[in-house]
Amino acid sequence: MTKLKNYAQGKWIEGDGNETALFNSITGEEIGSASSSGLDFAEMMNYARTKGGPALRKMTFQERGLMLKALALHLIGIKKKFYAMSTHTGATKIDSWIDIEGGIGNLFANASLRRQFNDAPFYVDGEYAPMSKEGTFIGHHIMVPKEGVAVHINAFNFPIWGMLEKIAVNLMAGVPAIVKPATVTSYLTELMVKEIVDSKILPEGSLQLICGSARGIIDHVESQDVVTFTGSASTGKMLKSSPRLIEEAVPFNMEADSLNASILGADAIPGTDEFDLFIKEVQKEMTVKAGQKCTAIRRIIVPESLVEDVQIALGKRLAKTVIGDPSVEGVRMGALAGVEQREDLKEKVGQLAKSQEIVFGSLDDFEVTGADKNKGAFCSPILFLNTDPFHNTDCHNIEAFGPVSTILPYKDLNEAIELANMGKGSLVCSIVTNDDKIATEFVMGAAPMHGRILVLNAACAKESTGHGSPMPMLTHGGPGRAGGGEEMGGKRGIMHYLQRTAIQGHPSMVTKITKQYQYGAEQTEHDKHVFQKYFEEIEIGDTVITRKHTVIEADIVNFANLSGDHFYAHVDETSLDGTIFESRVAHGYWVLSKAAGLFVDGKKGPVLLNYGLDECRFTKPVYPGMTIGVRFTAKEKIAQEKKDENDIKKGIVKFLVDVYDETGETVALATILTMVKFKNQN
Ligand code: NAP
């Protein structure tokens, strides 16, 4: 490996001077250098805004999702290249798996989120807001991609996952990114960006890379940009207070140090499955990635009567940690990312040792297999015991970013909660218990200070994703010290890159703008029933006004017998005192079923199947003697991709089912989903 290149304004560029040397963390050998000197950050940002942004914004959420899926498939196909390079970071195979396949998994998960968005470049959020008596004035929220750039400043511990978990989100939203990995492990990020660029799957301008320092980049942000930061709290706070960020009101999402805790429930005594699970989980979290995980367990909170048992059991497991070159058979823990990181860790361990005792491991006295201990960035797992954690509080404040953790005793659950919360805000904590009272009380007490809580017992252990894994379908982030962010992950993450705008106007106008039928908008009737139209022929607002039906008592009796629903209000006229009903009322589900009987066109046509309901409300009681009809209107269309060559080309059409009575007033409102064939199957 020689000089790393930066990818800026469509070109691979070497920095001109000011090189930072990069090292293999196992052998200590110099493997290359990185420099960003000469890069024009302002021009890079401009390029993203004017080249990548417009290209991404033209695409629909469905198209962006498919783009991410294609990228994920491409990268998984060449994953061996990344594994080979990842060994330089000191990672074991499992560590690399988390970084590489975990990162690519994030692309897949975000790609799947496309189904929760519209088939449009923008998103229509939630329900409309009725704002007038006559229904001629409504409001609805749309969310459009920001016209700026996502600047991601990442930590050194996950050079691939760190990038992919973030760009997956902004790319789904239609926003380009500039990625700045931590310099020390940027060679792995560079390799992946090279593969991404060469694949040509992303539109040009949607991804740029800075391998060396990015100091000064924040001075060029503008109001439509978004900055995310993962790293130490000190750097994060310094960047967060940049005058430019404040001036331009740029969102800054920070994920910083986190002194995560794991709690052993008082019920989980030695001999229970939960005790064993606890020991296993803590040992895993201390040693995976050599403890360089923002979610690693730093504080082990246990009932005071079990401290000795935990110390012995954990010590036994930690003693089996073979430290060394991960390519050597049997090695379980590799090196830290670099010598600088090891020195930082030593300093933090030294600070912690002033107020607590090391009960396992040593900074100097440990064996290394298959490598030179003095050249690589190795360290031993270190287990502390702090017998007075309410007074010796360093363990709640100092993060040693490596395989270092502290046992803290508690007397009762309130103390356990208090100790967990003394981390001043964490990304995650876990409690291992099989007692639902303990679990409930702990969750309620600890939730305000934690972004995620894992409740682990034997029943979920086999399938549990573990204490340390943030899952892309859940929000990731935590309050206070952890940075106060929660925008990474799930639909919420994507929304962080969208601007929400309330649109007010006549329902017909809002329908045209949102491309979603709004209640009260113009309805267009045609001779041809909508069920006889192919996907591309259906227009939003196409409506069928059905024939009518006068409700009789037999309808209610028959439905009660058919469904077995003999709720008193449907079957017993004498039971209605004190209820809102004036007489026997029709079942809501009958109203909806009857509506289907009215709006369905039974002839075989392009409609393939009924897919379900999105929402359904029964808004007015329906009594015998009333006459109901349906206004059945095409509300929204979402084209679907073919699963394979033999699949039928089709899409989902959502219809608004507006059941009304003889006064014209709505008695039931539902959205049904149908699957409809395309006429053009190519
Ligand atoms: P760091 O020193 O704060 O650096 C983080 C990133 O900021 C690096 O990319 C660094 O680039 C960059 N940076 C530093 N100063 C900058 C500036 N003035 N302008 C722009 N960028 C700047 O943290 P680290 O040592 O790499 O990471 C370890 C820390 O990250 C730990 O404390 C850990 O808890 C935290 N972490 C948190 C999470 C989370 O999700 N909460 C996840 C992972 C790690 P250079 O490398 O070029 O200096």
Side-chain angles (χ1 to χ4, degrees), residues 4 22 89 155-159 181-190 337:
L4 296 190
L22 305 174
T89 68
F156 64 79
N157 54 342
F158 287 112
T183 303
V184 64
T185 49
S186 55
Y187 48 86
L188 187 50
T189 319
E190 188 220 33

Side-chain angles (χ1 to χ4, degrees), residues 83-146:
Y83 273 97
M85 180 75 89
S86 178
T87 56
H88 294 312
T89 68
T92 62
K93 192 142 188 246
I94 291 177
D95 300 341
S96 296
W97 179 85
I98 300 172
D99 192 28
I100 299 164
E101 300 196 43
I104 297 173
N106 234 290
L107 289 181
F108 278 119
N110 274 281
S112 297
L113 287 177
R114 69 187 183 278
R115 300 199 180 91
Q116 296 182 32
F117 286 89
N118 310 91
D119 192 6
F122 62 90
Y123 176 58
V124 183
D125 188 28
E127 289 295 300
Y128 81 105
M131 295 196 298
S132 62
K133 270 201 183 132
E134 303 293 321
T136 62
F137 187 64
I138 62 161
H140 209 145
H141 293 93
I142 61 166
M143 297 188 76
V144 295
K146 293 195 176 211

Side-chain angles (χ1 to χ4, degrees), residues 609-672:
L609 53 90
N610 181 351
Y611 198 67
L613 285 171
D614 253 4
E615 63 269 328
C616 175
R617 291 278 179 283
F618 304 124
T619 50
K620 186 178 173 187
V622 175
Y623 301 115
M626 285 168 67
T627 297
I628 58 171
V630 184
R631 296 180 279 246
F632 184 66
T633 306
K635 183 176 172 185
E636 191 187 348
K637 292 164 57 174
I638 302 169
Q640 292 186 320
E641 69 273 12
K642 281 183 169 188
K643 286 200 181 69
D644 53 52
E645 275 189 6
N646 301 323
D647 196 14
I648 300 172
K649 194 172 170 199
K650 58 197 178 319
I652 300 296
V653 181
K654 297 186 181 185
F655 286 98
L656 185 72
V657 182
D658 177 8
V659 190
Y660 61 102
D661 64 11
E662 63 282 359
T663 67
E665 201 178 331
T666 296
V667 297
L669 204 58
T671 300
I672 66 151

Side-chain angles (χ1 to χ4, degrees), residues 211-486:
C211 283
S213 162
R215 277 158 187 74
I217 194 165
I218 301 290
D219 298 338
H220 305 287
V221 293
E222 291 178 1
S223 63
Q224 289 281 302
D225 300 334
V226 174
V227 179
T228 72
F229 170 82
T230 306
S232 61
S234 53
T235 312
K237 280 183 211 155
M238 184 263 291
L239 293 176
K240 195 176 182 174
S241 54
S242 308
R244 179 78 179 187
L245 276 182
I246 298 164
E247 223 166 84
E248 294 280 320
V250 171
F252 182 87
N253 190 59
M254 172 161 148
E255 294 181 89
D257 313 355
S258 179
L259 290 150
N260 316 293
S262 188
I263 289 82
L264 181 68
D267 59 308
I269 55 173
T272 60
D273 288 344
E274 280 71 24
F275 182 85
D276 296 344
L277 277 171
F278 180 76
I279 299 296
K280 208 168 140 193
E281 193 71 13
V282 172
Q283 178 262 340
K284 190 176 86 187
E285 284 301 317
M286 281 181 71
T287 54
V288 165
K289 200 74 195 165
Q292 300 165 107
K293 268 175 30 183
C294 53
T295 52
I297 296 169
R298 307 283 175 213
R299 297 175 301 142
I300 307 161
I301 301 177
V302 304
E304 60 182 3
S305 59
L306 299 182
V307 165
E308 206 180 326
D309 294 295
V310 169
Q311 194 181 313
I312 294 169
L314 204 48
K316 270 193 197 156
R317 271 194 86 99
L318 288 172
K320 290 188 191 147
T321 312
V322 182
I323 306 161
D325 179 347
S327 65
V328 175
E329 185 70 28
V331 167
R332 293 276 170 271
M333 192 173 94
L336 297 178
V339 174
E340 207 180 299
Q341 282 67 35
R342 188 190 58 198
E343 292 314 304
D344 182 56
L345 183 86
K346 279 185 171 178
E347 193 190 317
K348 299 283 169 47
V349 169
Q351 289 172 15
L352 287 168
K354 286 184 189 155
S355 58
Q356 49 189 44
E357 173 201 359
I358 294 181
V359 291
F360 179 90
S362 154
L363 281 180
D364 307 307
D365 186 14
F366 61 94
E367 300 260 306
V368 166
T369 304
D372 184 338
K373 188 174 157 187
N374 299 316
K375 290 190 175 155
F378 298 101
C379 72
S380 154
I382 304 270
L383 184 63
F384 281 103
L385 173 64
N386 180 343
T387 50
D388 192 5
F390 286 100
H391 295 106
N392 295 332
T393 54
D394 281 349
C395 62
H396 306 296
N397 294 311
I398 297 171
E399 183 203 37
F401 203 59
V404 180
S405 198
T406 304
I407 299 176
L408 325 171
Y410 72 84
K411 285 194 175 62
D412 56 30
L413 197 56
N414 283 336
E415 277 201 6
I417 294 168
E418 206 180 323
L419 287 172
N421 293 352
M422 281 172 80
K424 299 193 186 76
S426 304
L427 292 172
V428 55
C429 80
S430 50
I431 176 159
V432 186
T433 178
N434 197 28
D435 183 320
D436 52 15
K437 282 207 190 82
I438 292 179
T440 308
E441 203 178 314
F442 179 79
V443 167
M444 291 307 149
M449 298 297 275
H450 293 86
R452 178 164 64 88
I453 299 179
L454 163 70
V455 182
L456 189 63
N457 65 3
C460 73
K462 208 167 156 209
E463 292 194 298
S464 159
T465 46
H467 169 105
S469 306
M471 302 308 289
M473 53 292 269
L474 302 177
T475 55
H476 176 50
R481 184 200 299 277
E486 55 165 11

